[in-house]
Amino acid sequence: MEESKSKPIIGVTTAWSIETWGDSLEGGYYYVGKPYVEAIAKCGGIPLLVTPEYDLSTLDDTINNILDTVDGLLFSGGGDSKKNSGKSISGLREQQPKRYDFEAELLTKARGKGMPILGICRGFQMIVEVFGGKLSNELVENHKQNIFGSNPWHKVQINKESKLYDVLKKEIWDVNSFHVQKAEKPPENFIISVISDDGVIEGVEAIEDPFLAGFQFHPEELMWRDQEAEKIFKWFIKSCTNK
């Protein structure tokens, strides 16, 4: 009998309600959108929620234990800032300091181990900032759609030199959009893999890492109507299986 291969365990980061909404009922709660979890399960992985529950004295051990447990990491979105004013937006750490410090350390150590990393929305922005790129503090307009995420909102162009293009085999794509903050410059040794029709960076990927990619749009919601989006998760899960 052929031995069955075990499914890869994918750590999915979570937001903390107190940092998002300021509630304080019994310490709030950690949360993540269900589509992230569903997408991983549908594409062959086992999702495991990873929470920023730590203190500074145990942070290092906590992260090492997480990395010993998972085969890949998905840095999720969520936790939109409520501190925006006028046409500017606060930085990622100012928006959610506890989550930021945890995820920045987790990102850095995971990359050092060569672990596959996928970032979506805020997760994409964390990849950009933590690895030396730059985010804009100006609010971006017309990128927060008022329809369901399974529906596309604008067109993007896929870089033909990217790994993503090798997966999708297409140059123009219609994607969804739920953000007000944007990346201004990718980190060194990353390329822009996706850019919107109005010039907003929608995807980056590391040139030399086996799998380190981020997307500003939400393939986990888009994939229920678009098989191209599902290919992103299958690509990610396959990388976690083969690492």
Side-chain angles (χ1 to χ4, degrees), residues 5-212:
K5 295 181 179 179
S6 59
K7 294 181 177 181
I9 297 174
I10 312 299
V12 184
T13 64
T14 61
W16 182 27
S17 63
I18 289 180
E19 290 189 326
T20 305
W21 297 291
D23 65 283
S24 58
L25 181 62
E26 296 180 351
Y29 54 90
Y30 295 119
Y31 68 96
V32 71
K34 190 182 178 197
Y36 294 105
V37 173
E38 291 177 320
I40 288 171
K42 182 180 180 182
C43 294
I46 298 175
L48 178 68
L49 301 192
V50 174
T51 66
E53 184 60 40
Y54 67 94
D55 58 57
L56 291 178
S57 65
T58 61
L59 178 58
D60 197 56
D61 286 341
T62 297
I63 288 177
N64 286 337
N65 283 323
I66 291 169
L67 295 179
D68 286 342
T69 302
V70 303
D71 300 295
L73 286 166
L74 191 163
F75 287 79
S76 67
D80 289 347
S81 172
K82 306 306 175 186
K83 302 174 184 178
N84 305 336
S85 61
K87 292 188 176 182
S88 65
I89 186 169
S90 54
L92 292 179
R93 190 181 189 284
E94 185 180 353
Q95 293 172 36
Q96 298 186 46
K98 184 178 179 71
R99 181 184 185 185
Y100 183 94
D101 290 347
F102 174 76
E103 291 189 3
E105 190 69 15
L106 185 60
L107 262 173
T108 302
K109 286 202 165 188
R111 188 184 188 189
K113 288 179 173 288
M115 181 169 288
I117 297 169
L118 173 63
I120 295 175
C121 198
R122 180 187 166 95
F124 156 83
Q125 295 170 2
M126 285 291 295
I127 287 173
V128 170
E129 183 168 291
V130 169
F131 295 129
K134 185 178 181 182
L135 301 179
S136 172
N137 63 358
E138 294 183 358
L139 291 172
V140 60
E141 297 181 352
N142 302 318
H143 277 261
K144 197 172 181 69
Q145 68 190 61
N146 55 6
I147 56 177
F148 289 121
S150 55
N151 297 301
W153 186 249
H154 62 71
K155 292 186 181 299
V156 295
Q157 183 170 349
I158 298 172
N159 185 345
K160 293 186 74 172
E161 302 300 318
S162 67
K163 299 171 187 174
L164 178 65
Y165 180 83
D166 293 338
V167 171
L168 300 184
K169 304 296 184 186
K170 65 189 304 179
E171 248 185 297
I172 305 297
W173 193 18
D174 293 302
V175 302
N176 53 20
S177 191
F178 290 98
H179 65 104
V180 295
Q181 193 162 16
K182 65 180 180 178
E184 190 172 300
K185 183 180 71 172
E188 186 176 353
N189 295 321
F190 279 69
I191 64 168
I192 297 172
S193 59
V194 189
I195 193 163
S196 69
D197 51 4
D198 59 350
V200 173
I201 298 172
E202 296 281 342
V204 297
E205 60 184 48
I207 297 171
E208 298 178 359
D209 298 64
F211 189 105
L212 175 47

Side-chain angles (χ1 to χ4, degrees), residues 7 34-47 219-227 229-231 233-234 237:
K7 294 181 177 181
K34 190 182 178 197
Y36 294 105
V37 173
E38 291 177 320
I40 288 171
K42 182 180 180 182
C43 294
I46 298 175
E220 81 285 359
E221 294 191 23
L222 196 62
M223 65 179 276
W224 304 106
R225 289 193 182 181
D226 187 342
Q227 290 185 342
E230 184 175 331
K231 290 178 182 178
F233 276 90
K234 287 184 175 179
I237 298 298

